[in-house]
Amino acid sequence: VETKTQRFIPGQADTEAITAIAFSQCKSYVAVAERAERGVITVYDLTTTTGSPRKRVLASTDVGSKEYVSVAFSPDGKWVIAQGGAPEWNVTLWNWERCKQLACVPAKPLGSD
């Protein structure tokens, strides 16, 4: 339902900047990646009609970076995948509704050893 209204989504405490944003295919959820001591992704439920949107916070000690440089939802909206930044460049997969990390695999830029 289009309401012609807007709401601001506050960032997490102690974060430095937004580094990536993704919307689910159904447009009901937005994932916001932020730079911090440990990179963090917050998934907001945009269907919440009053007050602050419901959210899930995704963080991993495995990412090896202070930020995520890319984030995306799976086509069915059940998973979030994100690419961590330097120096590790790890790719992490979550079941975001349960805040459960499913995998974290190393990925290096082309041409690096």
Side-chain angles (χ1 to χ4, degrees):
V1 174
E2 191 170 322
T3 62
K4 304 281 186 189
T5 62
Q6 64 182 9
R7 290 184 296 175
F8 291 96
I9 298 174
Q12 294 294 314
D14 301 322
T15 59
E16 300 171 16
I18 292 173
T19 56
I21 296 176
F23 285 90
S24 63
Q25 194 169 25
C26 66
K27 307 290 188 238
S28 295
Y29 307 102
V30 62
V32 179
E34 296 177 85
R35 182 181 310 119
E37 182 66 30
R38 183 174 73 180
V40 63
I41 298 171
T42 307
V43 179
Y44 294 94
D45 180 350
L46 301 177
T47 63
T48 305
T49 56
T50 59
S52 298
R54 290 178 298 215
K55 65 183 179 182
R56 296 279 193 264
V57 178
L58 310 175
S60 171
T61 56
D62 297 336
V63 73
S65 176
K66 296 176 76 171
E67 65 186 338
Y68 290 95
V69 296
S70 180
V71 63
F73 283 92
S74 61
D76 62 6
K78 292 182 179 182
W79 299 312
V80 166
I81 189 165
Q83 168 106 44
E88 300 292 326
W89 302 101
N90 290 334
V91 175
T92 308
L93 177 68
W94 284 277
N95 174 330
W96 70 266
E97 292 173 322
R98 294 189 173 139
C99 297
K100 182 175 180 175
Q101 179 181 320
L102 302 175
C104 185
V105 296
K108 298 283 185 181
L110 291 175
S112 68
D113 293 327

